[in-house]
Amino acid sequence: MKRKLVSGVAVLLFLMNVCAAQAPRVFKSWVPAEDNTVYALEGQGWKDGLDLYYDRLPQRAEDKVRTAVWNLSGNSAGLSLRFRTDADEIVVKYTVRGVLAMPHMPATGVSGVDMYAKSIDGKWMWCAGKYNFNDTIVYRFSNLNKYDQHVKNTDYTLYLPLYNSVKWLSVEVPEESLFKPLPVRKAAPIVIYGTSIAQGACASRPGMAWTNILERKMERPVINLGFSGNGRLEKEVVDFVTEIDASVYVLDCLPNLIGKEYRGAELKKRITETVKQLQRTHPDVPVLLTAHDGYSNDETSAAAKESYEQVNATLQEVVDSMWKAGVKHISLLTKEEIGQDLESMVDGTHPTDLGMMKYADAYTKKLKSILNETGGNTVTTTPVTQRRDAATYDWETRHQEVLAYNKTHRPKVVFIGNSITHFWGGNPEARVKNGSLSWEKYFEPKRAVNMGFGWDRVENVLWRVQHGELDGISPGYIVLMIGTNNLQLNSDTEIVDGLKYLLQTIRTKQPDAQILLMGILPRRNMEERVARINRLIAAIPGEKIQFLDAGKLFLKPDGKIEEHLFSDGLHPNQEGYEGLGALISQYLKK
């Protein structure tokens, strides 16, 4: 049989297709240290006056703190970069100044990076990357999901090395991809002054350091001032700690204060003077003191057990004395609350990932209690962020706009809700305004603020209330209308329980305000269920809470919605907002 001849044209076309298929992708780079448009480096107490971009202390500290502390401050422990992209591939390239690994800690923890994604519903997700440790370290994250439901991009957090110093770093995505660095959050951080355990030893990767786990669990910035072997409650370091306006100061230095030279009076002095120093500059900021977490060989080494028991007894004595003297805003995290055991340490001292999680869980529980940010055991009672309406507005940005507006305008009426409230009108101003005429007519004269966020659920409002949106103001009335976005996900009981928990939180923040609890507005094809839930909601009210069901305005005699009052069967139109505004205004006395 004769072989068939392939034409030259066919061969040429084949080769062109192969070349096209094998053509390397073109990437664009973001170098944070060279970007003057946005500052996206989270976890840094100072962004000015630094020697190097990724340092943890300003350059003026070099002549004030001990050399060991200064050198360790160049490690990027606790620092992270946040960005938004629709890329299916992200490549991180960087160089470092120190050794890549240590005998008791792998290169992925000492010198590696770690990336997490966040869903539009506020769920954290870990990203697995392939890495190559050479003069230039490369992490490649491939086959990333480009779409999260209807939002066509994802928010990422990139944690930096725990025990190495970053000299240069770039983040690369395919040239056609959207890429947006996210500015640092403005919320007051949790500031942690501690030892190697706080710095991150011996997490297998940066995201597993307990301070970074805590940052994800608390949804708050965390500043890591852990200095390996050198967390000694020194005034020179505390001077710098006091420069940071914190939500809480955490002092976790006892593992570095077990030597004979620190025992007894000297340790008491250091603990007492550090607390006094913090409270002189920040008298209303809580201080959390942490006990030594022990050693995993304490049952086989009497000396090890004695060493931590002595310092813990001293700490307890000092804290008891402060409490007895009436010192406020002082809390203690005990060894028992941390709960380490013989399986949770690498070398008897430094936590494994399991030990890091024990630390993070203990701190989360304690700090949520201190900051009144506790949650329940269900979805609707667990505070969480969201980004479900990213095409219309940025949820995090609007949160900051609400905080700024409240600070400057001191509203007397607060509206809290989802898109039905958000797109009504008023300030902070929204891109979409479907009922601005009625808002201006009924609520502008009453100094109302619009704290509606599109696509919010009960648990998202809970997060916002716990993170400052009702702080620093004294409204006479709070109008709460939330729950419709929970209908397709949660049971009637879950929704009602979430509302009860949210109302308790609101009452804690604003004990004197009158609360107008609105029933869920009727919506197309869900009229019966909404009516049933509203009967349950009506049974909630307590002191200074009044229930108001606006359903009668929007329903026909047969129980179906009046379509002409809605734009889409869910959101009122101008006429619908007019009726709703007139009804609510009757309950808002001057």
Side-chain angles (χ1 to χ4, degrees):
M1 178 181 287
K2 293 183 179 180
R3 291 190 178 98
K4 293 182 179 180
L5 295 178
V6 181
S7 71
V9 173
V11 171
L12 179 61
L13 289 174
F14 173 77
L15 292 174
M16 290 175 62
N17 288 333
V18 170
C19 291
Q22 294 179 346
R25 302 182 78 176
V26 178
F27 284 75
K28 58 185 177 184
S29 297
W30 173 53
V31 181
E34 299 175 2
D35 185 355
N36 295 321
T37 62
V38 61
Y39 197 84
L41 186 58
E42 288 268 0
Q44 205 168 37
W46 300 264
K47 64 180 182 180
D48 298 316
L50 298 169
D51 180 28
L52 297 172
Y53 186 79
Y54 296 101
D55 283 354
R56 290 186 292 151
L57 286 177
Q59 188 171 15
R60 53 192 165 84
E62 184 175 8
D63 296 329
K64 296 181 173 63
V65 302
R66 288 183 298 107
T67 300
V69 173
W70 171 248
N71 290 338
L72 287 163
S73 73
N75 294 165
S76 54
L79 302 185
S80 62
L81 296 162
R82 297 195 311 142
F83 50 86
R84 180 174 299 162
T85 182
D86 61 0
D88 63 348
E89 186 173 14
I90 298 172
V91 180
V92 182
K93 298 178 181 178
Y94 59 103
T95 58
V96 295
R97 286 184 286 172
V99 297
L100 293 180
M102 297 188 291
H104 63 325
M105 189 172 176
T108 50
V110 173
S111 306
V113 295
D114 207 1
M115 194 167 77
Y116 284 71
K118 198 174 191 185
S119 78
I120 60 174
D121 293 324
K123 177 184 177 181
W124 287 101
M125 304 172 292
W126 181 66
C127 303
K130 294 183 178 180
Y131 41 84
N132 186 7
F133 286 86
N134 283 311
D135 291 342
T136 296
I137 302 172
V138 179
Y139 270 70
R140 186 177 298 273
F141 303 90
S142 302
N143 301 314
L144 297 168
N145 292 332
K146 295 182 66 174
Y147 305 124
D148 189 354
Q149 298 178 31
H150 57 281
V151 178
K152 297 183 178 181
N153 51 63
T154 302
D155 285 0
Y156 294 93
T157 295
L158 182 73
Y159 294 106
L160 303 187
L162 298 171
Y163 264 83
N164 220 322
S165 303
V166 176
K167 294 196 296 184
W168 170 88
L169 180 145
S170 72
V171 179
E172 300 182 359
V173 297
E175 189 173 44
E176 69 276 10
S177 303
L178 172 147
F179 186 88
K180 178 183 178 182
L182 297 176
V184 297
R185 291 167 291 179
K186 296 181 180 179
I190 298 167
V191 177
I192 299 166
Y193 175 27
T195 68
S196 56
I197 298 172
Q199 183 168 339
C202 286
S204 64
R205 49 186 174 84
M208 288 307 299
W210 72 259
T211 55
N212 289 336
I213 301 172
L214 179 71
E215 182 265 338
R216 294 194 298 277
K217 285 178 173 287
M218 293 292 295
E219 295 283 3
R220 274 186 180 273
V222 172
I223 293 178
N224 184 332
L225 295 179
F227 304 110
S228 185
N230 288 276
R232 301 178 185 175
L233 296 180
E234 295 168 301
K235 180 183 182 302
E236 295 79 8
V237 178
V238 180
D239 283 340
F240 286 97
V241 175
T242 62
E243 294 180 6
I244 306 171
D245 292 324
S247 59
V248 181
Y249 294 108
V250 175
L251 303 175
D252 191 349
C253 291
L254 257 59
N256 287 162
L257 294 168
I258 59 173
K260 293 182 179 179
E261 68 270 30
Y262 303 117
R263 291 182 183 177
E266 178 61 24
L267 182 55
K268 289 181 183 180
K269 177 183 176 183
R270 291 196 181 213
I271 296 170
T272 303
E273 290 301 317
T274 298
V275 172
K276 287 182 178 179
Q277 193 175 347
L278 291 171
Q279 292 202 326
R280 277 195 299 268
T281 52
H282 301 274
D284 297 323
V285 177
V287 177
L288 175 58
L289 295 145
T290 305
H292 194 306
D293 68 329
Y295 301 107
S296 57
N297 66 328
D298 61 1
E299 294 298 325
T300 57
S301 172
K305 189 171 185 178
E306 180 187 12
S307 65
Y308 74 73
E309 285 183 340
Q310 285 185 352
V311 295
N312 282 350
T314 301
L315 175 63
Q316 185 69 63
E317 182 181 346
V318 173
V319 172
D320 286 342
S321 177
M322 290 180 179
W323 285 340
K324 187 176 181 179
V327 179
K328 297 180 180 179
H329 308 304
I330 300 296
S331 299
L332 174 66
L333 181 66
T334 66
K335 174 185 180 296
E336 291 70 29
E337 288 173 308
I338 298 170
Q340 303 289 19
D341 57 42
L342 75 163
E343 309 292 358
S344 58
M345 296 182 189
V346 172
D347 51 6
T349 302
H350 299 95
T352 61
D353 288 352
L354 172 62
M356 288 291 182
M357 188 61 72
K358 287 176 178 284
Y359 250 107
D361 287 343
Y363 267 112
T364 299
K365 183 177 180 180
K366 181 69 70 171
L367 289 170
K368 280 184 176 289
S369 176
I370 292 171
L371 294 170
N372 294 315
E373 294 178 5
T374 55
N377 297 318
T378 63
V379 172
T380 55
T381 58
T382 303
V384 68
T385 62
Q386 63 99 348
R387 201 172 65 89
R388 289 182 285 270
D389 198 13
T392 305
Y393 79 106
D394 184 81
W395 195 89
E396 191 173 302
T397 299
R398 183 164 175 82
H399 172 63
Q400 294 299 326
E401 290 173 347
V402 166
L403 297 180
Y405 186 88
N406 286 350
K407 187 175 182 179
T408 56
H409 291 79
R410 308 292 182 187
K412 292 302 178 184
V413 178
V414 172
F415 279 78
I416 302 176
N418 48 49
S419 57
I420 296 173
T421 301
H422 185 178
F423 302 139
W424 194 338
N427 289 293
E429 192 171 7
R431 288 170 54 187
V432 178
K433 290 175 282 188
N434 296 326
S436 56
L437 294 178
S438 62
W439 184 281
E440 292 170 3
K441 178 180 178 180
Y442 295 112
F443 308 129
E444 207 69 45
K446 298 182 185 296
R447 290 176 57 188
V449 60
N450 186 328
M451 286 167 46
F453 284 54
W455 270 104
D456 253 15
R457 298 171 186 155
V458 174
E459 57 269 26
N460 306 129
V461 174
L462 179 61
W463 188 97
R464 296 197 281 118
V465 171
Q466 289 188 350
H467 286 74
E469 290 192 9
L470 288 179
D471 294 352
I473 58 175
S474 301
Y477 292 91
I478 296 173
V479 182
L480 176 65
M481 184 166 57
I482 193 69
T484 194
N485 291 323
N486 292 91
L487 291 173
Q488 295 177 322
L489 295 170
N490 305 112
S491 67
D492 296 1
T493 300
E494 287 174 331
I495 295 172
V496 174
D497 287 347
L499 283 170
K500 289 179 181 178
Y501 198 92
L502 174 59
L503 285 165
Q504 293 172 6
T505 305
I506 292 174
R507 179 56 70 214
T508 299
K509 295 283 187 177
Q510 293 291 337
D512 299 323
Q514 298 288 335
I515 299 175
L516 188 59
L517 174 61
M518 302 294 297
I520 298 174
L521 289 190
R523 55 187 295 177
R524 184 187 296 143
N525 300 326
M526 300 189 74
E527 293 92 342
E528 291 185 8
R529 186 182 177 200
V530 168
R532 183 176 70 244
I533 293 177
N534 281 344
R535 288 192 290 271
L536 297 175
I537 297 174
I540 294 177
E543 185 179 359
K544 296 182 182 179
I545 302 176
Q546 185 172 3
F547 175 75
L548 176 60
D549 187 357
K552 61 184 178 181
L553 297 176
F554 294 94
L555 294 173
K556 296 185 293 187
D558 64 0
K560 299 297 183 181
I561 65 169
E562 288 279 9
E563 292 284 353
H564 73 276
L565 297 177
F566 293 86
S567 61
D568 55 6
L570 170 63
H571 299 88
N573 56 22
Q574 196 75 254
E575 184 179 356
Y577 277 122
E578 169 61 31
L580 186 60
L583 177 64
I584 292 175
S585 67
Q586 297 175 22
Y587 292 82
L588 306 180
K589 300 177 182 178
K590 293 183 179 180

